[in-house]
Amino acid sequence: MDNLLGTLLFMAIIGAAIGGVTNHLAIKMLFRPHEAKYIKNWRVPFTPGLIPKRRDELAKQLGLTVVNYLLTPETFRKKFFSKDIQDKVEQFVQAKVQETIFTEDKTIQDWLNLAGFSNMPTTIEQKVEAIVVGQFESVKNTLSTRSIRTLLSADIQNTIDAKIPVAVGHILEKGEEYFLSAEGELTIKAMIDDFLSSKGSLGGMINMFLGDSSSLVGKVQRELVKFLQTPGTNSLLTKIFMQEWEKLKDRPAMDYLEDINFEPILANLQSYVKEQLAVAERLNHPISYYWPEGSSWMQESVVPRLIEKAFIQAEDKLEDVLKRLNLQEVVREQVDSFPVAKLEELVLGISKREFKMITVLGAVLGGLIGVVQGLIVHFI
């Protein structure tokens, strides 16, 4: 009996040791050795371990599993294209639009500074000055090369033609009023005196015969007024004005502006334009200053439509994007490049208790097998 118990105990211990060590080695051989071992050109069997040896196949299969079962288009649609996600994105964008674009704390110049355009007012003024110079030179060139007739439209020319008789009538009327006035009489008397004095002795004789020139002034005055009132005078002056106006229309406008210094005009024009633009002052206001209803319009119309359209476009392009990303190859490369030691540490860290239980189970089974073997040996 003692021999039987000793044999059974010995066989149980041997079986337990073999089972436990075998399972422990099997677990270790999943990962170790990490690399193949060679004796000269002969590779040692079972090297490297199972997982390092089949890592390429594991990486490929894991990539297929991820693409076919984990990161599928339907998974992305459920996670990222739900109504709840769309509402959250819309709320986030609306909040950011309100906080950034339409905030009262940042002026347009502040936004330009953030974008790297801190000298924008000076740049705009320089551009405006260049535009004014260009337009000014263009106008001068036009005035120099084109006649007044080509510059003025037919309507304007017809209007001026119609105003010439009116202007002539007005001039004659004012001339009549002038010569009938006291100042006109003095002018006529001065003209008569100057005329007689210019004739020398003959003028003196005439002046002596006439005596007082008042009567002569009255006669001249009446004749001048009569001359101005004559329809022929009006027709003559109108004809002269019309002829001169026709000649004037065929000449370049710049012919009548040759003596004008354009430099001060250009400088004043540039100053006026910059003063009216007031670029620096206008940029020193927030966007809401010029567009008070912009915030509500963006939140009610623009943002919802943009988000909805963006989600629709993104969902339509989802499968194409996933194909372009080639997630299967990405996973394969990452798994293939992942250090085996880290993978072993990760797996053992997660399943340490289970692996110990496998080792213990192997020892228990080995011990039971040893007891059975002992009984078989005893009875045989």
Side-chain angles (χ1 to χ4, degrees):
M1 187 67 179
D2 292 338
N3 290 335
L4 177 60
L5 292 175
T7 300
L8 294 177
L9 180 62
F10 177 76
M11 294 297 290
I13 292 173
I14 295 299
I18 292 173
V21 170
T22 300
N23 281 11
H24 179 73
L25 287 175
I27 293 171
K28 288 294 184 180
M29 288 177 67
L30 289 173
F31 299 95
R32 295 177 181 270
H34 297 160
E35 299 176 352
K37 303 297 182 182
Y38 291 90
I39 298 176
K40 293 186 178 181
N41 294 328
W42 179 68
R43 182 173 65 85
V44 178
F46 306 108
T47 62
L50 178 62
I51 290 179
K53 184 177 181 180
R54 307 291 294 274
R55 184 165 65 172
D56 291 342
E57 297 180 17
L58 176 64
K60 183 178 180 180
Q61 190 60 40
L62 187 57
L64 287 172
T65 302
V66 169
V67 171
N68 293 332
Y69 299 100
L70 298 179
L71 300 181
T72 63
E74 189 60 32
T75 302
F76 281 100
R77 287 191 179 95
K78 291 180 179 179
K79 289 291 184 181
F80 300 108
F81 295 97
S82 64
K83 181 62 177 176
D84 183 57
I85 294 295
Q86 183 174 340
D87 292 339
K88 289 181 179 180
V89 172
E90 181 178 329
Q91 292 174 3
F92 175 79
V93 173
Q94 287 182 343
K96 288 300 179 182
V97 168
Q98 182 62 32
E99 293 174 4
T100 55
I101 298 178
F102 293 98
T103 179
E104 296 288 338
D105 297 332
K106 284 189 177 181
T107 64
I108 298 175
Q109 184 60 55
D110 292 333
W111 287 110
L112 292 173
N113 292 339
L114 290 175
F117 298 103
S118 56
N119 295 325
M120 184 57 70
T122 303
T123 302
I124 293 177
E125 288 183 352
Q126 291 174 349
K127 293 291 184 182
V128 168
E129 288 182 349
I131 291 173
V132 171
V133 170
Q135 293 299 317
F136 197 79
E137 291 299 324
S138 177
V139 171
K140 286 178 61 179
N141 182 63
T142 300
L143 294 176
S144 300
T145 56
R146 297 179 59 184
S147 65
I148 296 176
R149 188 186 301 276
T150 60
L151 291 173
L152 299 180
S153 65
D155 293 339
I156 295 177
Q157 293 184 44
N158 293 333
T159 301
I160 296 176
D161 292 344
K163 292 295 182 181
I164 288 178
V166 178
V168 170
H170 184 71
I171 292 172
L172 293 175
E173 182 180 346
K174 291 299 180 182
E176 182 181 348
E177 292 178 0
Y178 176 76
F179 287 118
L180 289 175
S181 65
E183 184 180 357
E185 291 181 1
L186 293 175
T187 301
I188 294 172
K189 185 177 184 305
M191 292 171 61
I192 293 173
D193 292 339
D194 291 340
F195 175 76
L196 293 176
S197 62
S198 65
K199 298 304 178 180
S201 59
L202 179 61
M205 290 176 60
I206 295 172
N207 192 21
M208 181 181 64
F209 282 114
L210 291 175
D212 187 8
S213 60
S214 299
S215 58
L216 184 59
V217 170
K219 291 179 181 180
V220 173
Q221 185 183 47
R222 286 191 297 271
E223 292 301 323
L224 282 173
V225 170
K226 187 184 298 183
F227 174 78
L228 295 176
Q229 293 176 343
T230 302
T233 303
N234 188 303
S235 299
L236 177 62
L237 288 179
T238 301
K239 181 179 179 181
I240 294 173
F241 274 60
M242 290 296 293
Q243 290 175 347
E244 293 301 319
W245 168 234
E246 289 298 324
K247 294 178 182 178
L248 184 146
K249 287 193 291 185
D250 291 328
R251 297 181 59 184
M254 188 58 73
D255 289 353
Y256 303 96
L257 304 174
E258 292 178 347
D259 297 331
I260 297 178
N261 184 7
F262 289 101
E263 292 299 326
I265 298 175
L266 176 60
N268 291 334
L269 183 59
Q270 289 176 325
S271 299
Y272 176 78
V273 172
K274 290 191 292 184
E275 181 181 347
Q276 293 301 311
L277 286 176
V279 177
E281 181 181 350
R282 295 180 188 276
L283 294 179
N284 200 32
H285 293 289
I287 296 177
S288 58
Y289 177 83
Y290 299 103
W291 194 14
E293 69 279 3
S295 177
S296 60
W297 181 73
M298 289 285 290
Q299 292 181 348
E300 295 173 4
S301 301
V302 178
V303 173
R305 293 178 183 176
L306 286 178
I307 296 300
E308 182 180 2
K309 187 173 183 180
F311 267 72
I312 293 174
Q313 292 292 330
E315 190 172 358
D316 291 341
K317 298 291 183 181
L318 177 60
E319 294 188 13
D320 183 58
V321 170
L322 291 178
K323 288 180 181 179
R324 290 176 180 272
L325 288 176
N326 197 3
L327 294 178
Q328 178 181 340
E329 184 64 19
V330 172
V331 173
R332 189 197 67 76
E333 290 179 356
Q334 291 300 313
V335 174
D336 197 36
S337 62
F338 197 76
V340 178
K342 288 291 183 180
L343 181 62
E344 179 185 10
E345 181 182 346
L346 178 63
V347 174
L348 293 179
I350 296 174
S351 306
K352 186 175 183 181
R353 179 180 297 179
E354 286 73 14
F355 284 147
K356 284 184 178 180
M357 291 300 297
I358 291 172
T359 303
V360 172
L361 180 61
V364 171
L365 290 176
L368 291 175
I369 293 172
V371 171
V372 172
Q373 287 178 341
L375 290 174
I376 292 172
V377 171
H378 176 74
F379 288 111
I380 292 178

